[in-house]
Amino acid sequence: LRWEETQSELLAWYRNLIAFRRAQPSLTDGRLDQADVAFDEHAGWLVMKRGAVEIACNFAQDWQAIPITQKGDLICSEPEWHLRPGLIELPSDSVAILY
């Protein structure tokens, strides 16, 4: 982290993530048995669900639709994404947090 870039989008993203984690009871305990994980290694996506929080990661080089179960609010690392019933479409190298 470069402290001279304190107004950067990346710093704002980190601050939002830290505040979000502190506000979510299901993310504050260390119990790994409470996490459900699904992935498709070939397609390059991973989804982790813990309590009311679901995190979808697109590791692929292109946009792709990733299966999700959560509805509601969303935080995304990228400004553009598309939500459809049971799916979220994410650009490459991005993450979305649904709660």
Side-chain angles (χ1 to χ4, degrees):
L1 187 60
R2 294 183 186 137
W3 291 109
E4 65 273 8
E5 296 176 2
T6 57
Q7 301 303 316
S8 75
E9 290 179 34
L10 186 59
L11 181 58
W13 170 247
Y14 288 150
R15 285 184 172 157
N16 287 339
L17 289 177
I18 291 166
F20 178 80
R21 183 172 186 256
R22 287 182 181 154
Q24 295 296 320
S26 62
L27 299 180
T28 58
D29 70 32
R31 295 188 55 188
L32 296 177
D33 63 326
Q34 300 297 313
D36 293 317
V37 178
F39 66 95
D40 185 325
E41 185 176 356
H42 179 71
W45 61 260
L46 178 134
V47 175
M48 191 275 301
K49 186 169 183 182
R50 187 172 173 142
V53 178
E54 190 167 26
I55 301 168
C57 304
N58 181 9
F59 300 112
Q61 294 181 3
D62 295 310
W63 277 81
Q64 71 173 317
I66 300 171
I68 56 168
T69 60
Q70 195 70 344
K71 299 175 186 176
D73 294 321
L74 179 138
I75 302 169
C76 191
S77 64
E78 299 296 326
E80 192 174 344
W81 45 269
H82 305 285
L83 196 57
R84 297 188 285 152
L87 294 171
I88 185 164
E89 294 179 39
L90 293 174
S92 66
D93 296 321
S94 63
V95 61
I97 303 167
L98 300 100
Y99 59 101

